Amino acid sequence: MNTLLLFTVVMFVLLLFPRLLNRLGIPNVTAEIAAGILVGPYGFGLIEPNSALKAIAQLGLVFLMFLAGMEMDPQVFRGNRNRTVLLTCCNGGIPFLGGLLVGRFFGLGWLEAVLLGSIFTSSSVGIIIPVFREIRGSGERVQRMGDLVISAVVIMDILSLLVLSVVVRIQAGGAGGIWLFILSAVLFLAAVLYLVPKIGHRFFRLDHGTLVHFETEVRFILFVLLLVTFLAEVLHVHAIVGAFLAGVALSETFDVHACKDCEEKLTTLGY
């Protein structure tokens, strides 16, 4: 199928299905998944994903985790720290332990069983975040619950991806290279959380002084996002981990410089 026609069909389906299924009380993200199944190769076969569509899908996942990182408020997290840790342990630790035990029961080695446990731990963060965004105006209690669930789910997904990366590194090069991987991951985390906010503050101050349009700020943020995700993949850390870190690092910049218009544009672009 022609690439332009492919994207035209995709956009038409995304425009039509959520409107129809919303009348039945079905959230947008569930309607979009159902639409993708119906028109995809496992449904009616109307669309065959090509490399361009897969690249857009990967970029969409990166944006989703970036927006999740932007919405992480450190003060809210510290206030709900005990609850977040408890929910993360229950929602992630129990499936991990279950996968580990199932793997051992069926005769898998410890490394393979840990890999199975990390797969059990992965959650549908791509569904949970959009659903809570839809019900954001439903009251303060729902808002608090949404912040708690999103924080726990994102942390759980990042931990499962890090475990997966560790298992792959051990499988590829033995246990010797794992310490180098852990050290590089920690240094990468520290560098992003320290350098990106400083660069962001400096850029936004210069940008505000020259009265440049918001599109320049959006380009800067996209550059930072893509650079951090690329470096994450170079270090064999999953791209969505880098995207989430970029969002967390830039969230303070948004708050300090009151870049509400810029944030809304990024949200629109991401979704």
Side-chain angles (χ1 to χ4, degrees), residues 13 81 199:
V13 170
R81 181 175 53 194
I199 296 172

Side-chain angles (χ1 to χ4, degrees), residues 158-220:
I158 289 176
L159 289 177
S160 68
L161 287 171
L162 291 176
V163 170
L164 178 62
S165 299
V166 169
V167 170
V168 170
R169 295 292 292 177
I170 292 175
Q171 189 69 28
I178 191 60
W179 296 110
L180 179 61
F181 167 74
I182 293 175
L183 178 62
S184 62
V186 171
L187 290 176
F188 173 70
L189 169 68
V192 170
L193 295 181
Y194 177 76
L195 293 176
V196 170
K198 286 186 173 296
I199 296 172
H201 286 311
R202 181 177 294 274
F203 175 84
F204 280 105
R205 279 199 299 267
L206 292 174
D207 185 60
H208 180 73
T210 55
L211 298 177
V212 180
H213 292 297
F214 282 113
E215 283 71 16
T216 303
E217 296 175 348
V218 172
R219 292 190 202 111
F220 167 77

Side-chain angles (χ1 to χ4, degrees), residues 2-196:
N2 180 275
T3 302
L4 290 177
L5 179 59
L6 174 65
F7 281 105
T8 302
V9 173
V10 169
M11 293 308 298
F12 175 74
V13 170
L14 291 177
L15 180 66
L16 179 64
F17 266 74
R19 287 182 174 272
L20 293 176
L21 296 183
N22 278 165
R23 298 179 180 180
L24 302 176
I26 299 175
N28 281 327
V29 63
T30 307
E32 291 167 359
I33 292 173
I37 294 173
L38 288 175
V39 303
Y42 300 104
F44 293 108
L46 301 177
I47 293 178
E48 187 67 33
N50 58 16
S51 57
L53 192 60
K54 291 177 181 178
I56 292 293
Q58 175 69 14
L59 190 59
L61 183 59
V62 166
F63 253 107
L64 182 68
M65 293 301 292
F66 173 73
L67 294 173
M70 267 197 336
E71 293 178 3
M72 287 283 288
D73 189 341
Q75 293 182 352
V76 174
F77 176 77
R78 283 192 289 268
N80 294 320
R81 181 175 53 194
N82 294 336
R83 294 180 180 180
T84 303
V85 171
L86 178 61
L87 182 58
T88 303
C89 291
C90 292
N91 202 28
I94 294 174
F96 178 81
L97 183 61
L100 183 67
L101 293 177
V102 167
R104 294 296 294 168
F105 177 79
F106 285 100
L108 297 179
W110 281 106
L111 196 61
E112 291 80 4
V114 169
L115 177 61
L116 185 62
S118 68
I119 294 173
F120 277 31
T121 303
S122 298
S123 63
S124 302
V125 65
I127 299 175
I128 293 172
I129 293 176
V131 167
F132 274 107
R133 287 183 68 89
E134 286 186 39
I135 62 175
R136 173 159 293 177
S138 301
E140 185 179 351
R141 179 173 296 182
V142 174
Q143 175 67 38
R144 288 202 304 268
M145 182 182 68
D147 292 337
L148 177 64
V149 171
I150 290 175
S151 299
V153 167
V154 169
I155 292 171
M156 186 174 61
D157 264 27
I158 289 176
L159 289 177
S160 68
L161 287 171
L162 291 176
V163 170
L164 178 62
S165 299
V166 169
V167 170
V168 170
R169 295 292 292 177
I170 292 175
Q171 189 69 28
I178 191 60
W179 296 110
L180 179 61
F181 167 74
I182 293 175
L183 178 62
S184 62
V186 171
L187 290 176
F188 173 70
L189 169 68
V192 170
L193 295 181
Y194 177 76
L195 293 176
V196 170

